């Protein structure tokens, strides 16, 4: 009975955590360059071996199997699959085709992002929508003079046809293991690229979120139903436990 409570409560906690992650992904469906967060699920506690007595004289037993005590949420991981490209017509919107990430400077140090919504600030610095400095291939801040901006596929920026800078882009062979999510659309990782792939940069486009709205809503409904089922199990186990205690009291 107590083991049943363990299983039911752990399922409630696990589904509450999954619901929080799914809600975060849904909230960022319209965020350019967003990479959805996925959960892993594991055993709440190591499985306990179950044995059945085979012989009452020798006390010999047979192994029956393992009894689990429910599930728990494991480590989160990021789905780095590419989102679709959306035409914005804004020359300061950029997107990368491939595994590249823009290099930006934040108060906490250099970070990587797929969100290419860039702006000119009052000093003609190229910055993100959060105000972080966009870095060039040498790790320096980028300044763009007034004029029409275009970009070559390798990230070279031109203003009125004259080369102005080259976007700093980190290329990673295994972003799943090399990059760690910090906050928002930002990641931290190796200072130097680990892949020799050549980035393909376009402007006037943004990469959309890689989260799928219909899949997320379906998963959210499934999680809500699982949570309700586990909640009912907790209530049933609680009632049975109360009846058991009451019965023992009458026997005494």
């Amino acid at each position: 009975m107590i083991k049943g409570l363990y299983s039911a409560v752990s399922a409630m906690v696990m589904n509450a955590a999954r619901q929080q992650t799914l809600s975060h992904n849904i909230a960022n469906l319209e965020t350019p360059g967003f990479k959805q967060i996925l959960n892993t699920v594991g055993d709440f506690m190591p499985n306990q071996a179950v044995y059945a007595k085979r012989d009452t004289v020798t006390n010999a037993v047979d192994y029956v199997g393992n009894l689990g005590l429910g599930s728990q949420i494991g480590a989160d991981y990021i789905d780095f699959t590419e989102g679709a490209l959306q035409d914005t017509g804004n020359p300061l919107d950029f997107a990368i085709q491939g595994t590249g990430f823009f290099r930006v400077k934040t108060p906490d140090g250099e970070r990587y992002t797929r969100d290419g919504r860039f702006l000119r600030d009052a000093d003609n610095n190229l910055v993100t929508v959060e105000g972080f400095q966009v870095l060039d291939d040498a790790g320096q801040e980028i300044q763009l003079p007034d004029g029409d901006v275009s970009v070559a596929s390798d990230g070279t920026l031109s203003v009125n046809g004259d080369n102005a800078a080259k976007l700093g882009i980190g290329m990673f062979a295994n972003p799943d293991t090399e990059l760690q999510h910090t906050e928002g659309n930002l990641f931290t990782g190796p200072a130097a690229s680990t892949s020799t792939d050549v980035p393909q940069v376009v402007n006037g486009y943004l990469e959309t979120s890689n989260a799928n709205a219909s899949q997320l809503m379906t998963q959210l409904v499934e999680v809500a139903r699982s949570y309700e089922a586990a909640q009912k199990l907790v209530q049933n186990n609680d009632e049975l436990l109360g009846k058991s205690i009451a019965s023992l009291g009458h026997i005494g």
Side-chain angles (χ1 to χ4, degrees):
M1 193 175 299
I2 297 299
K3 290 179 179 178
L5 276 173
Y6 272 124
S7 297
V9 171
S10 67
M12 289 177 64
V13 173
M14 182 269 293
N15 280 299
R18 287 190 62 203
Q19 186 179 51
Q20 186 175 9
T21 300
L22 290 170
S23 298
H24 173 75
N25 290 339
I26 290 172
N28 285 280
L29 281 170
E30 301 298 324
T31 303
F34 175 75
K35 301 303 174 190
Q36 65 178 337
I37 301 175
L38 303 177
N39 297 130
T40 59
V41 178
D43 292 328
F44 172 61
M45 292 179 65
N47 289 341
Q48 297 181 346
V50 179
Y51 298 90
K53 185 176 288 189
R54 173 164 44 88
D55 193 313
T56 57
V57 178
T58 62
N59 288 327
V61 296
D62 286 330
Y63 170 72
V64 176
N66 289 337
L67 178 64
L69 293 179
S71 55
Q72 66 178 349
I73 207 73
D76 295 339
Y77 68 97
I78 304 296
D79 175 13
F80 282 105
T81 56
E82 289 184 57
L85 294 188
Q86 181 180 29
D87 186 353
T88 67
N90 183 350
L92 292 181
D93 284 341
F94 297 87
I96 300 175
Q97 295 176 292
T99 59
F101 291 77
F102 299 111
R103 297 170 62 185
V104 298
K105 180 182 177 182
T106 76
D108 298 318
E110 186 174 317
R111 295 290 186 266
Y112 298 101
T113 184
R114 294 278 294 192
D115 187 351
R117 293 176 292 173
F118 299 156
L119 311 164
R120 281 192 184 97
D121 68 9
D123 298 318
N124 275 357
N125 294 309
L126 189 64
V127 298
T128 67
V129 290
E130 297 91 356
F132 302 140
Q133 300 279 353
V134 180
L135 301 179
D136 64 15
D137 58 344
Q140 302 300 311
E141 300 169 4
I142 295 176
Q143 281 196 324
L144 292 179
D146 294 330
D148 295 329
V149 177
S150 60
V151 65
S153 61
D154 66 350
T156 299
L157 297 170
S158 299
V159 178
N160 294 331
D162 297 325
N163 289 352
K166 186 175 182 180
L167 289 168
I169 297 173
M171 302 292 293
F172 303 101
N174 297 294
D176 294 342
T177 57
E178 293 175 307
L179 297 181
Q180 294 79 45
H181 180 246
T182 55
E183 61 178 338
N185 260 352
L186 301 176
F187 301 88
T188 184
S193 296
T194 61
S195 171
T196 57
D197 290 346
V198 178
Q200 298 292 314
V201 184
V202 293
N203 68 327
Y205 291 83
L206 288 174
E207 179 186 5
T208 60
S209 166
N210 69 350
N212 183 289
S214 59
Q215 288 181 354
L216 290 174
M217 294 306 298
T218 300
Q219 292 169 358
L220 198 60
V221 171
E222 292 174 351
V223 165
R225 289 176 178 172
S226 296
Y227 183 92
E228 291 173 0
Q231 190 176 41
K232 289 179 181 178
L233 282 175
V234 170
Q235 293 170 347
N236 292 339
N237 275 277
D238 183 60
E239 291 174 3
L240 288 173
L241 188 59
K243 290 177 181 179
S244 299
I245 293 172
S247 298
L248 290 172
H250 289 309
I251 292 173

